[in-house]
Amino acid sequence: MTAENGDDSRKAAILDAAAQLIAERGYHAVRISDIAQVVGTSTGTVHYYFPGKNDVLTAALKHSIDHAFGRQSLELKSIDDAHQRLLKLIDMQLPRVGVVRDEWSVWIQFWAEAMIRPELRPIHGAYYERWRETIRRIVERGQRQKVFRSDVDPETIAHRLSALTDGMAIQVLTGTPNMTVSAMREVLVAFV
């Protein structure tokens, strides 16, 4: 392993630890010393890669979301049928306990930070556009495959499915009565 690969893996470990801590504790409750402890290194090492707390936490938010997009893209590429692809996308968004629930927690923290830190809004907006573009492309694919109606606007569907997914995920994550992962899935599948 070269020194550069070691640096890359150490930096990734720091970002993974920071994202996990954000998911568990919330953005503002994470300290550099917490990240260093999880990684098994010193605070100086964390500062070597990231000058300040906001730098590492913001990078961790982006790292976590990029990882989620990468995982989704990989899984979706293997599904040709647009209807099945959209159902798989929905399934991968359900905030079950584990990785996806943690990703949702990080995403919600990103929303909160973008609301109070205008410099994050373009990044936040680009992630949303990427998410809606994924949905739009699947709908367009389904229209070409004749598995989705041709009289619907893919852009409108992308906005509506995004809003439904976000709204119900927030309800699941905050324990709203009668809103479970199963109920969320049922509503999203019915929408499709």
Side-chain angles (χ1 to χ4, degrees), residues 38-119:
V38 169
V39 176
T41 193
S42 68
T43 58
T45 300
V46 176
H47 285 296
Y48 170 78
Y49 294 99
F50 304 97
K53 177 181 170 179
N54 273 348
D55 300 307
V56 67
L57 295 181
T58 299
L61 292 172
K62 294 190 295 190
H63 175 77
S64 175
I65 294 165
D66 286 339
H67 180 74
F69 274 123
R71 179 180 47 78
Q72 290 169 3
S73 294
L74 189 64
E75 289 196 41
L76 292 177
K77 283 180 184 178
S78 67
I79 304 169
D80 182 56
D81 178 83
H83 183 252
Q84 292 305 313
R85 188 178 279 206
L86 194 53
L87 292 177
K88 179 65 173 178
L89 182 63
I90 287 170
D91 188 64
M92 289 188 296
Q93 293 302 307
L94 299 174
R96 297 179 184 98
V97 173
V99 172
V100 177
R101 189 176 191 94
D102 290 346
E103 289 169 353
W104 268 107
S105 180
V106 169
W107 183 233
I108 290 170
Q109 298 298 318
F110 201 115
W111 285 343
E113 284 305 297
M115 189 171 72
I116 60 174
R117 294 178 49 206
E119 70 273 15

Side-chain angles (χ1 to χ4, degrees), residues 6-31:
D7 277 355
D8 288 347
S9 71
R10 177 58 58 116
K11 186 176 182 179
I14 290 167
L15 293 173
D16 287 341
Q20 185 61 44
L21 290 167
I22 291 168
E24 292 171 3
R25 300 178 186 178
Y27 185 90
H28 293 284
V30 178
R31 300 173 307 165

